[in-house]
Amino acid sequence: MVATEEVNASLEKNAIFDRVSIFMRLFLQPIGIWPLHTVNYTSKTRFCLSVVCLTAVALVAGPHIYYVFFVMADTHLRIRHLPPISFYSINTVKYVVFIMISEKFSAFVRLFARDWRSLVNEPRQLSIMLSYTSKAKYLIVASIILLYGNAVPFIILLPPMTKLVDEATNVTYRTLCYPGHYFDLIDPKQSQLTYSILYVVQTYFGFSLVTCTLGFLSVFVTFGLHVSARCNITSLLIQELVDDYSRARLKFIVGQHSQSLKYQTPISSEYFEY
């Protein structure tokens, strides 16, 4: 009977953490930077996903940047390509930084998980924390709608529907959202198969960028509101302390607040250090 109760308590603790970390796992697992491993998400799986993402960056970003700055003659078109270049360059830097701080990020997420699991026996604090988690989810869902709503037309629909004519060869061809220069090794204008392969790679690359952005957003929003909720709890405890002062309670409040501040510093300090 006791063992059953312990198992149920453990499942309840894990369920709470799974509930609040769902968006972080949803976006960070597919790109290989979610630090907690499971049966279906092992260290090998994580490594392979990271390699695939970085390979897509090399296949798309490199040729695209070279094409825009060294091949493209139209200045107006070059300027139009600067926003996507900036977008994926910034996200690539963020991605590499998260890989470099993966061990510290893992320790930070485990600390975050322990804090949530400790709230099972504190229903009032748990209620406050969950209310802030709901706010985080609303922000993330709104971001999902905005980012994927813009990404789907640009990455999937626009390239196949847009056709241009090569003035040199008078060949009609479909465009890519990230046109690149492949030094005559690959020519999507001449082969439907080549175009299809590049289209699939660029679609994966584009959605990985959006997923990466949403993953970083979910991390900072979730942890930021986690700190806010902890500060709110500390404020309530201080108000109660005024009515019923005791040195032991004051020590508990100070210790809990010091623990809360740990969720503010690890990611921000390590992230901006690079």
Side-chain angles (χ1 to χ4, degrees), residues 96-244:
V96 172
V97 168
F98 262 78
I99 291 177
M100 294 174 67
I101 65 170
S102 59
E103 292 185 3
K104 295 180 179 179
F105 182 44
S106 176
F108 184 55
V109 172
R110 294 179 191 279
L111 178 67
F112 177 74
R114 283 199 302 270
D115 188 48
W116 272 102
R117 288 164 182 159
S118 68
L119 293 172
V120 173
N121 300 322
E122 300 287 345
R124 189 179 66 161
Q125 294 189 19
L126 179 61
S127 176
I128 295 173
M129 298 291 285
L130 289 176
S131 67
Y132 276 80
T133 300
S134 298
K135 296 176 183 178
K137 288 183 177 180
Y138 290 137
L139 290 173
I140 296 171
V141 168
S143 300
I144 291 172
I145 295 172
L146 290 173
L147 285 173
Y148 278 121
N150 285 292
V152 170
F154 178 74
I155 298 172
I156 295 181
L157 302 179
L158 188 60
M161 295 173 61
T162 305
K163 294 184 178 181
L164 299 176
V165 178
D166 190 340
E167 296 180 356
T169 60
N170 199 29
V171 173
T172 302
Y173 63 94
R174 289 181 295 176
T175 62
L176 293 166
C177 55
Y178 304 105
H181 183 70
Y182 296 93
F183 301 97
D184 297 329
L185 298 175
I186 302 175
D187 189 359
K189 299 178 183 179
Q190 302 296 331
S191 171
Q192 177 63 34
L193 177 61
T194 303
Y195 175 86
S196 299
I197 293 173
L198 286 176
Y199 174 73
V200 170
V201 172
Q202 293 198 5
T203 300
Y204 172 79
F205 173 73
F207 274 92
S208 295
L209 288 175
V210 177
T211 302
C212 190
T213 302
L214 290 170
F216 299 144
L217 175 69
S218 63
V219 168
F220 288 108
V221 168
T222 301
F223 290 149
L225 288 179
H226 187 83
V227 175
S228 298
R230 275 299 185 187
C231 290
N232 189 8
I233 291 172
T234 302
S235 177
L236 292 176
L237 293 175
I238 291 174
Q239 291 177 12
E240 294 177 353
L241 183 66
V242 174
D243 299 328
D244 185 15

Side-chain angles (χ1 to χ4, degrees), residues 19-33:
R19 176 181 172 185
V20 300
S21 64
I22 182 171
F23 282 116
M24 291 190 291
R25 289 184 288 108
L26 180 65
F27 295 122
L28 297 182
Q29 277 188 354
I31 57 177
I33 54 176

Side-chain angles (χ1 to χ4, degrees), residues 1-10:
M1 184 67 179
V2 176
T4 303
E5 292 178 354
E6 291 179 353
V7 170
N8 291 335
S10 177

